[in-house]
């Protein structure tokens, strides 16, 4: 079974609007971390935001927030006030306590911000 | 620049040749990772070092692949007798500690085997 599922291959958003990128995960480990990375065309994976499985509040980092719904095993990324520079691939990833040296990545969502 | 550095950034090689990629992690990070990313996919774990010790290897890391981190600083990933299926981006990442922290990636090394 896939550890991380991203069902949106591509998304479009109008500049200055908010957009939600979906991510669901599968694990039986009670302790895990969820991450979002941005990958522009240059190739570098840029860390955006982290959510621990025991965190009570949703993580926020500037314009990025993570909508963590533990019972549904979802960890959606919300980008507010989209900018042209947000156009990139976005990857959701998970690290489990028991396999802590491996990050499991989804297949990514390509986001295009329209002027 | 104090980020993870990888070189070469691009490599085109003929099938059957050997290639080597180098990764210089963030200086205070003792953990180092190699991932592989093919088109349309997310990165896949290859191997992990803590200091100079290679502690984990994925099944993806065939006998033709070898990674080293001789002094616990930079690392090399060598692919022997390259095959077309090895064409991918090879990403290096580093971290300071595993609990609660993310890993920081370099810009990757693109390999094309012709």
């Amino acid at each position: 079974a896939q550890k991380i599922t991203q069902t949106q291959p591509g998304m479009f958003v109008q500049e200055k609007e908010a957009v939600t990128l979906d991510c669901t995960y599968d694990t039986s480990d009670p302790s895990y971390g969820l991450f979002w990375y941005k990958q522009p065309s240059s190739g570098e994976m840029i860390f955006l935001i982290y959510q621990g499985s025991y965190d009570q509040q949703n993580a926020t980092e500037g314009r990025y927030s993570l909508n963590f719904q533990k019972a549904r095993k979802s960890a959606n990324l919300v980008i507010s006030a989209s900018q042209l520079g947000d156009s990139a691939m976005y990857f959701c990833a998970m690290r489990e306590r028991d396999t802590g040296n491996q990050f499991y990545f989804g297949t990514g969502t390509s986001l295009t911000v329209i002027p | 620049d104090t980020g993870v550095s990888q070189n070469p950034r691009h490599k085109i090689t003929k099938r059957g040749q050997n290639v080597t990629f180098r990764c210089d992690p963030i200086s205070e990070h003792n953990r180092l990772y190699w991932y592989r990313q093919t088109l349309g996919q997310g990165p896949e774990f290859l191997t992990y070092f803590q200091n100079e010790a290679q502690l984990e290897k994925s099944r993806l890391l065939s006998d033709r692949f070898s990674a080293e981190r001789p002094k616990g600083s930079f690392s090399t990933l060598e692919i022997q007798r390259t095959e077309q299926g090895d064409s991918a981006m090879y990403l290096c990442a580093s971290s300071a500690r595993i609990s609660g922290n993310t890993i920081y990636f370099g810009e990757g090394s693109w390999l094309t085997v012709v």
Side-chain angles (χ1 to χ4, degrees), chain A residues 15-36:
Chain A
E15 192 177 7
K16 300 180 184 177
E17 296 290 311
V19 63
T20 298
L21 306 183
D22 294 341
C23 172
T24 57
Y25 59 92
D26 182 29
T27 182
S28 57
D29 193 332
S31 179
Y32 52 90
L34 296 158
F35 305 79
W36 278 91

Side-chain angles (χ1 to χ4, degrees), chain A residues 50-59 66-70:
Chain A
Y50 163 80
Q51 179 87 42
S53 59
Y54 294 116
D55 293 343
Q56 295 296 314
Q57 292 189 326
N58 288 343
L66 199 152
N67 184 0
F68 181 45
Q69 297 188 45
K70 196 169 183 177

Side-chain angles (χ1 to χ4, degrees), chain B:
Chain B
D1 185 69
T2 57
V4 178
S5 176
Q6 293 188 243
N7 65 82
R9 293 292 318 281
H10 302 273
K11 179 74 176 178
I12 300 174
T13 191
K14 291 183 178 179
R15 189 175 53 186
Q17 297 293 305
N18 299 345
V19 296
T20 300
F21 299 111
R22 176 179 168 127
C23 171
D24 289 272
I26 295 171
S27 60
E28 64 269 24
H29 287 183
N30 65 337
R31 292 171 165 84
L32 187 145
Y33 313 77
W34 284 99
Y35 280 76
R36 182 173 71 185
Q37 186 178 17
T38 53
L39 284 175
Q41 300 297 318
E44 295 174 294
F45 173 78
L46 291 179
T47 190
Y48 159 72
F49 289 85
Q50 184 169 322
N51 299 311
E52 66 276 10
Q54 187 175 20
L55 298 183
E56 282 189 45
K57 288 168 59 173
S58 162
R59 288 173 295 137
L60 293 175
L61 214 65
S62 76
D63 292 344
R64 297 184 298 104
F65 288 69
S66 63
E68 294 182 346
R69 195 181 183 198
K71 296 184 179 178
S73 56
F74 73 91
S75 175
T76 58
L77 177 68
E78 181 184 17
I79 309 173
Q80 297 181 323
R81 304 181 304 281
T82 52
E83 302 173 354
Q84 286 187 323
D86 297 332
S87 296
M89 182 162 68
Y90 291 86
L91 288 159
C92 179
S94 69
S95 69
R97 62 181 177 89
I98 203 165
S99 176
N101 268 6
T102 189
I103 58 176
Y104 296 91
F105 284 88
E107 292 182 310
S109 293
W110 287 96
L111 173 65
T112 302
V113 181
V114 297

